[in-house]
């Protein structure tokens, strides 16, 4: 995972393993809005309306705005699955917001019954080479 600045906010870029993608599928029943029907501050790009919330040609790469949809703190990566401090025993891996305990899965979707009401935003993005991604812009224009 790397964090980059985009328009004054952190954006997480996560290269998910096959196991992490499987954890996203496992989390479907545990998250509040699996299909992101209620996006936070920007529409979910059409090419990310799939179970991994990523582009089909780079489905392992997750790109989300690192701003908690509760009160704006920065969630922290907690990628290790399983029982651990401050997380449920069936934790599939994801992100934990240190401010009030909202948790997000490995696709940035908020778990049920948390203070945060919505999933992390997915900005527009496009790959301009196999190893370079442009955030805030895609084939349809700029965000
Ligand atoms: S700001 Fe993240 S849970 Fe409150």
């Amino acid at each position: 995972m790397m964090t980059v600045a985009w328009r004054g906010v952190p954006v997480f870029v996560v290269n998910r393993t096959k196991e992490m993608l499987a954890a996203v599928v496992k989390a479907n029943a545990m998250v509040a809005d699996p299909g992101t029907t209620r996006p936070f501050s920007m529409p979910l790009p059409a090419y990310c309306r799939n179970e991994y919330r990523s582009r089909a040609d780079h489905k392992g790469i997750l790109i989300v705005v690192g701003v908690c949809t509760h009160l704006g703190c920065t969630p922290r990566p907690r990628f290790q699955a399983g029982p651990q401090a401050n997380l449920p025993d069936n934790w599939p891996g994801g992100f934990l917001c240190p401010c009030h305990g909202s948790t997000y899965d490995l696709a940035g979707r908020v778990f049920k019954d948390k203070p945060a009401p919505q999933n992390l935003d997915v900005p527009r993005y496009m790959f301009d080479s196999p190893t370079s991604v442009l955030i805030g812009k895609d084939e349809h224009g700029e965000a």
Side-chain angles (χ1 to χ4, degrees), residues 16-128:
R16 296 172 294 186
T17 62
K18 274 187 192 149
E19 292 74 23
M20 292 163 97
L21 292 177
V24 170
V25 176
K26 187 177 158 194
N28 274 336
M30 302 156 69
V31 296
D33 182 13
T36 314
T37 58
R38 297 175 288 103
F40 181 49
S41 72
M42 59 186 76
L44 182 67
Y47 44 77
C48 289
R49 287 189 203 131
N50 55 65
E51 63 182 332
Y52 303 118
R53 300 214 311 155
S54 56
R55 296 190 76 119
D57 54 349
H58 290 81
K59 75 176 178 186
I61 303 289
L62 172 70
I63 298 184
V64 287
V65 176
V67 173
C68 181
T69 66
H70 181 221
L71 293 175
C73 292
T74 303
R76 305 279 193 268
R78 296 289 290 269
F79 294 160
Q80 180 70 44
Q84 56 199 287
N86 303 317
L87 291 168
D89 286 353
N90 63 348
W91 178 244
F95 301 87
L96 169 65
C97 183
C99 291
H100 315 99
S102 290
T103 47
Y104 300 87
D105 80 337
L106 289 163
R109 301 174 301 175
V110 70
F111 283 90
K112 290 176 182 169
D113 304 319
K114 297 296 173 183
Q118 285 147 298
N119 298 336
L120 299 180
D121 276 333
V122 176
R124 292 177 183 220
Y125 66 92
M126 62 188 288
F127 287 84
D128 52 3

